[in-house]
Amino acid sequence: MVIALLAAIVFLVTSNSTVHGLSCAPPKSAIDEFNKSEYVFKGKVADKRNTKSIEGTLVQFQVQQIWKGPEPVAETIELYESNMWLEFENNTEYLIYASTDLDGKLRGNLCGRSQTWERAKGDVASFGKEGVLVQASEGLGGLSGWVKAILGAVIVLGLAAAWRFGSRRN
């Protein structure tokens, strides 16, 4: 028993392998990560805000292309950086795999495949479908078709009512 204990001590002292307390298992395949995620999108970092809480940094992405996510497609998506092994840089494009946590906050998947767009382009081929291109809106462009139609109808009815009441007075 003493020999076994000495052998264990010698092994521990002479071992030169590095062990990290916080490390990830080998990454999942792109399609497995895609299927696991609620959101998969290509986005450019537009803003980063430190929330000064345990939540960490809130990152806002300008969405450029989306494969999975909210309906209707959002032009911007915010997620917390706190549980990722990736620190986002402003004005850099990324492929993001994310899901909501128990509190309903969107977070990048822990030990997931989120990475810069340049490194992630190969993942997209395995998705088996085209992503929806998202164009940045200007003015009313970000409103859905129904909202635009209702807004237009309200304006037309308002103008018609104003004209009708205005012509009665003359």
Side-chain angles (χ1 to χ4, degrees), residues 30-50:
I31 195 63
D32 286 343
E33 187 77 9
F34 180 88
N35 290 334
K36 170 187 159 187
S37 303
E38 293 174 47
Y39 290 68
V40 179
F41 65 92
K42 174 188 175 187
K44 186 174 190 176
V45 175
D47 188 34
K48 289 177 67 170
R49 292 187 309 273
N50 187 337

Side-chain angles (χ1 to χ4, degrees), residues 37-79:
S37 303
E38 293 174 47
Y39 290 68
V40 179
F41 65 92
K42 174 188 175 187
K44 186 174 190 176
V45 175
D47 188 34
K48 289 177 67 170
R49 292 187 309 273
N50 187 337
T51 60
K52 296 183 181 176
S53 72
I54 195 167
E55 301 298 342
T57 303
L58 185 63
V59 182
Q60 182 183 59
F61 289 89
Q62 183 70 40
V63 178
Q64 298 169 332
Q65 195 170 7
I66 192 162
W67 290 267
K68 288 177 80 174
E71 292 288 336
V73 173
E75 290 181 16
T76 59
I77 293 178
E78 293 184 335
L79 65 83

Side-chain angles (χ1 to χ4, degrees), residues 83-98:
N83 68 343
M84 301 184 70
W85 294 89
L86 177 64
E87 185 173 329
F88 297 109
E89 296 178 25
N90 281 326
N91 296 316
T92 303
E93 295 176 331
Y94 293 88
L95 178 63
I96 302 295
Y97 297 89

Side-chain angles (χ1 to χ4, degrees), residues 1-166:
M1 179 151 131
V2 173
I3 294 173
L5 182 60
L6 286 173
I9 291 172
V10 168
F11 175 76
L12 291 174
V13 171
T14 61
S15 176
N16 64 357
S17 65
T18 304
V19 176
H20 299 282
L22 298 173
S23 61
C24 293
K28 295 179 179 182
S29 70
I31 195 63
D32 286 343
E33 187 77 9
F34 180 88
N35 290 334
K36 170 187 159 187
S37 303
E38 293 174 47
Y39 290 68
V40 179
F41 65 92
K42 174 188 175 187
K44 186 174 190 176
V45 175
D47 188 34
K48 289 177 67 170
R49 292 187 309 273
N50 187 337
T51 60
K52 296 183 181 176
S53 72
I54 195 167
E55 301 298 342
T57 303
L58 185 63
V59 182
Q60 182 183 59
F61 289 89
Q62 183 70 40
V63 178
Q64 298 169 332
Q65 195 170 7
I66 192 162
W67 290 267
K68 288 177 80 174
E71 292 288 336
V73 173
E75 290 181 16
T76 59
I77 293 178
E78 293 184 335
L79 65 83
Y80 288 93
E81 183 179 66
S82 61
N83 68 343
M84 301 184 70
W85 294 89
L86 177 64
E87 185 173 329
F88 297 109
E89 296 178 25
N90 281 326
N91 296 316
T92 303
E93 295 176 331
Y94 293 88
L95 178 63
I96 302 295
Y97 297 89
S99 298
T100 52
D101 64 12
L102 296 175
D103 294 330
K105 294 182 174 116
L106 187 63
R107 299 186 185 277
N109 294 343
L110 182 62
C111 296
R113 294 182 64 92
S114 294
Q115 56 191 321
T116 62
W117 178 246
E118 289 302 315
R119 293 184 63 204
K121 287 179 181 178
D123 285 12
V124 174
S126 67
F127 294 167
K129 66 179 189 174
E130 292 292 318
V132 175
L133 293 175
V134 179
Q135 301 295 325
S137 70
E138 294 181 20
L140 297 177
L143 300 177
S144 73
W146 284 105
V147 173
K148 289 178 188 174
I150 291 169
L151 186 58
V154 168
I155 291 171
V156 168
L157 289 173
L159 290 173
W163 177 76
R164 181 175 171 154
F165 290 120

